[in-house]
Amino acid sequence: MPSQPFNGVLVPVLTPFTRSGEPDAARFVAFCRWLLNQGAGGLAIFGTTSEANSMSPAERMSLLDRLIEAGVPAVKLMPGTGACAMTDAAALVRHAVEHGCGGVLMLPPFYYKGVSDDGIFAFISGVIDRVGSPALKLFLYHIPPMAVIGYSLDLVGHLIKAYPETVVGLKDSSGDWSNTAALLERFPGFAVFPGSEVFLLDALRKGGAGCITASGNVNVPGIRRLYDNWRGPQAEALQAEITKLRTTLQAYPMVPALKAIIAHYHNDPDWAAVRPPLVALDRAQTAALIADLDKLGFTLGERPQAKAA
Amino acid sequence: MPSQPFNGVLVPVLTPFTRSGEPDAARFVAFCRWLLNQGAGGLAIFGTTSEANSMSPAERMSLLDRLIEAGVPAVKLMPGTGACAMTDAAALVRHAVEHGCGGVLMLPPFYYKGVSDDGIFAFISGVIDRVGSPALKLFLYHIPPMAVIGYSLDLVGHLIKAYPETVVGLKDSSGDWSNTAALLERFPGFAVFPGSEVFLLDALRKGGAGCITASGNVNVPGIRRLYDNWRGPQAEALQAEITKLRTTLQAYPMVPALKAIIAHYHNDPDWAAVRPPLVALDRAQTAALIADLDKLGFTLGERPQAKAA
């Protein structure tokens, strides 16, 4: 069983943008610190929820530089390093490894559809070989609802066999529990994270490492409570509670909804901005979302201390 | 009707790679010249067939620089400038405009699925506004089989209305003739290119500007013959002939097959290389493809003169 530093509630961190549409490093650093203070087990920055693919590789690397400069522990970071081009992906992975990041989360090359497992294997192995670092811990990012192509069970097995010290885990955002269960059964010791806390208790019972979930941006404490007490008598009730919040969130476009929540509860309206092709919630949607959350008695922790730029 | 410089047979040019997997600029320049000498009406470099998304923006820009330095006329070039990030797309578009390219071909931001027309509009208008050049002629690249999201008829209308001098055409790789026909009917004067020569005669009869087709890499003369004689008595026969070749090609993975053809008929085996996630044809597939082509009496023009690096 290869070592890897992540467990618990990992958060694919939202990326704030300034009014002119640029990544807002000051707000980003403050928000990352806040999530860790709330109990996040790691920060999967530059994921789907982070609008990572709406940023250039240079923009992503610059934000990571800023986090490290600000003293956020690199070992807690699992930046998304996926790209359609092997050269871009290798540059992002190399940069993360040089910073000492605990791991990287790797999309398959998502432009071409209908590609073979052999083609995806060649891509991932090409990236690993180009980087050539024993420090690299690579987590596969399986998200067919966005990438369409994904990591089949056989391909996962092939990659683990070829790179047992490097390919150490997977985020399963298929939304298909049977796939997550099959991964946990077939690859014991491989760190499997479902992409939603809805599957957290089921995953932990089968040896899962935790979850990497968008809703972590607004509910680390609730999800963490289940993670810390999953063997206890309250586990089912805690699962039901976080599932209820997740279900409420899922009635809205996820990324704009999460940003609207931060903007509202932290009284920081600029947080609501997204980059195209995503579209921010309008006033009516935002009001409906907040009303739904009020019904659940939702609260968000204190606003991050560092003053936003 | 806005001016735009393209018509006839446009080729999404294959990108050769060296044995070590780097873009091979010398072979690329020679091949582009060869296609123009064969009668191509323009070169849609950096399209799907070009494995453009398997290259970093810097690699694409460097190849374009090399073409221009080699004296290939910029007005004949329609580089693909699509990217998931507005900042990457704007950089690619700006670079193409600065070189005086005749136009650019623009994928929608293809990572997120289920995005709205408003979100795609905001992306394209954001790119146009960031570049801010009256010299920009932008062609929309509609290819739902790969990008999954695409340009609806209403969105095309919205973009033409907002940017009548800039958004001047569209490549329709939907494979759905009814969509191409609807575009031609609804937007007279807008330059519509089907993404396959199979629809060339039908498109020309409805006012289409030509086609932009992968098979142009190996059959400019045949497709050009139909383009030059579409009003003549041989049109249907010429269409049937090029459709037959296209159908043969489509029995194989298109990009690897086209590269295998160049490698075989130009006796230049390195041409067969592709970048992951694509996979080159194996020997048996290549032999079967060549046998199929022999049955059609297929020939390829003379090998490009410039010596490959």
Side-chain angles (χ1 to χ4, degrees):
Chain A
M1 182 168 158
S3 68
Q4 67 83 20
F6 297 102
N7 60 59
V9 185
L10 275 65
V11 183
V13 184
L14 293 164
T15 307
F17 294 104
T18 64
R19 283 179 194 195
S20 60
E22 306 311 312
D24 186 335
R27 273 191 177 76
F28 182 63
V29 168
F31 190 65
C32 283
R33 282 210 189 98
W34 180 81
L35 288 168
L36 289 172
N37 288 341
Q38 294 239 316
L43 302 179
I45 56 173
F46 313 145
T48 300
T49 307
S50 320
E51 301 171 79
N53 289 307
S54 301
M55 292 187 280
S56 68
E59 288 175 317
R60 289 152 74 170
M61 291 193 261
S62 167
L63 280 180
L64 176 56
D65 291 340
R66 290 290 294 274
L67 274 191
I68 301 290
E69 284 161 25
V72 172
V75 72
K76 291 288 185 193
L77 300 178
M78 186 197 284
T81 52
C84 296
M86 217 162 65
T87 35
D88 279 333
L92 288 163
V93 171
R94 194 177 295 118
H95 180 254
V97 168
E98 284 168 0
H99 272 310
C101 290
V104 301
L105 188 56
M106 193 75 175
L107 281 168
F110 53 84
Y111 180 65
Y112 291 103
K113 307 304 184 284
V115 296
S116 66
D117 278 6
D118 285 351
I120 302 173
F121 180 89
F123 183 96
I124 299 296
S125 73
V127 170
I128 293 172
D129 295 346
R130 274 169 187 248
V131 174
S133 169
L136 172 60
K137 300 293 170 191
L138 189 146
F139 297 77
L140 304 170
Y141 188 7
H142 181 61
I143 182 168
M146 292 295 163
V148 182
I149 67 165
Y151 299 101
S152 70
L153 292 168
D154 284 347
L155 175 54
V156 172
H158 189 186
L159 284 163
I160 293 173
K161 192 169 173 194
Y163 299 100
E165 300 299 323
T166 303
V167 178
V168 296
L170 181 144
K171 175 182 181 187
D172 186 1
S173 294
S174 65
D176 172 6
W177 167 249
S178 70
N179 188 64
T180 311
L183 286 160
L184 287 163
E185 284 159 22
R186 193 152 152 187
F187 308 113
F190 186 65
V192 175
F193 297 86
S196 165
E197 71 275 26
V198 165
F199 304 116
L200 180 55
L201 182 55
D202 287 338
L204 291 170
R205 285 175 172 164
K206 288 181 83 78
C211 63
I212 305 176
T213 177
S215 17
N217 281 283
V218 300
N219 192 27
V220 167
I223 306 169
R224 180 68 196 258
R225 215 171 297 131
L226 171 58
Y227 180 75
D228 289 337
N229 298 285
W230 70 270
R231 287 192 172 88
Q234 297 302 311
E236 301 280 356
L238 292 167
Q239 177 67 69
E241 196 178 330
I242 62 178
T243 295
K244 199 191 268 179
L245 176 59
R246 174 76 180 203
T247 308
T248 299
L249 295 173
Q250 285 182 173
Y252 298 85
M254 183 62 89
V255 178
L258 294 169
K259 286 187 152 180
I261 292 170
I262 308 292
H264 177 83
Y265 289 93
H266 285 164
N267 193 25
D268 189 2
D270 288 354
W271 248 106
V274 296
R275 259 197 181 171
L278 300 190
V279 176
L281 298 195
D282 62 25
R283 291 167 69 105
Q285 286 174 305
T286 303
L289 169 62
I290 301 303
D292 285 349
L293 294 174
D294 283 348
K295 276 180 228 155
L296 297 182
F298 175 83
T299 57
L300 194 64
E302 290 282 297
R303 181 172 173 171
Q305 290 303 309
K307 182 83 190 72
Chain B
M1 184 167 159
S3 67
Q4 67 83 22
F6 298 103
N7 60 60
V9 185
L10 275 65
V11 182
V13 183
L14 292 164
T15 307
F17 294 104
T18 63
R19 283 179 195 195
S20 60
E22 307 311 313
D24 186 335
R27 271 192 178 76
F28 182 64
V29 169
F31 191 65
C32 283
R33 281 209 190 99
W34 180 81
L35 288 168
L36 289 172
N37 288 340
Q38 293 239 317
L43 302 178
I45 56 173
F46 312 145
T48 300
T49 307
S50 320
E51 301 171 79
N53 289 307
S54 301
M55 292 188 279
S56 68
E59 288 175 318
R60 289 151 76 170
M61 289 193 264
S62 166
L63 280 180
L64 175 55
D65 291 341
R66 290 290 294 275
L67 273 192
I68 300 288
E69 283 161 26
V72 173
V75 72
K76 291 288 184 192
L77 300 177
M78 187 199 284
T81 53
C84 296
M86 218 164 61
T87 35
D88 279 333
L92 289 163
V93 171
R94 194 176 295 116
H95 180 254
V97 168
E98 283 167 0
H99 272 310
C101 290
V104 302
L105 189 55
M106 193 77 176
L107 281 168
F110 52 85
Y111 181 64
Y112 291 103
K113 306 305 185 284
V115 296
S116 65
D117 278 5
D118 284 351
I120 302 173
F121 179 89
F123 183 96
I124 298 296
S125 73
V127 170
I128 293 173
D129 295 347
R130 274 170 187 249
V131 174
S133 168
L136 172 60
K137 300 294 171 192
L138 190 147
F139 297 77
L140 305 170
Y141 187 8
H142 181 60
I143 183 168
M146 292 296 164
V148 182
I149 67 164
Y151 299 100
S152 70
L153 292 169
D154 284 348
L155 174 55
V156 172
H158 190 184
L159 284 163
I160 294 173
K161 193 169 171 193
Y163 297 100
E165 300 300 322
T166 302
V167 178
V168 297
L170 181 144
K171 175 183 180 187
D172 186 1
S173 293
S174 64
D176 172 7
W177 168 248
S178 70
N179 189 64
T180 311
L183 286 160
L184 288 163
E185 283 158 22
R186 192 153 151 185
F187 307 113
F190 187 64
V192 174
F193 296 87
S196 165
E197 72 274 25
V198 165
F199 303 116
L200 180 56
L201 183 54
D202 287 338
L204 291 170
R205 286 175 172 164
K206 289 181 81 77
C211 64
I212 305 176
T213 177
S215 17
N217 281 283
V218 299
N219 192 28
V220 167
I223 306 169
R224 180 70 197 256
R225 216 170 296 131
L226 170 58
Y227 180 74
D228 290 337
N229 297 285
W230 71 271
R231 286 191 173 89
Q234 296 301 312
E236 300 281 356
L238 292 168
Q239 177 67 70
E241 195 177 330
I242 62 178
T243 296
K244 198 190 270 180
L245 176 59
R246 173 78 182 202
T247 308
T248 299
L249 295 173
Q250 285 182 172
Y252 299 86
M254 182 62 86
V255 177
L258 293 169
K259 286 186 152 180
I261 292 169
I262 308 291
H264 177 83
Y265 289 93
H266 286 164
N267 193 26
D268 188 3
D270 287 355
W271 247 105
V274 295
R275 260 198 180 169
L278 299 189
V279 176
L281 297 195
D282 63 24
R283 289 169 70 105
Q285 286 174 305
T286 303
L289 169 62
I290 301 304
D292 284 348
L293 293 175
D294 283 348
K295 275 181 229 155
L296 297 182
F298 174 83
T299 57
L300 194 65
E302 289 284 296
R303 181 172 174 171
Q305 289 304 308
K307 181 85 188 70

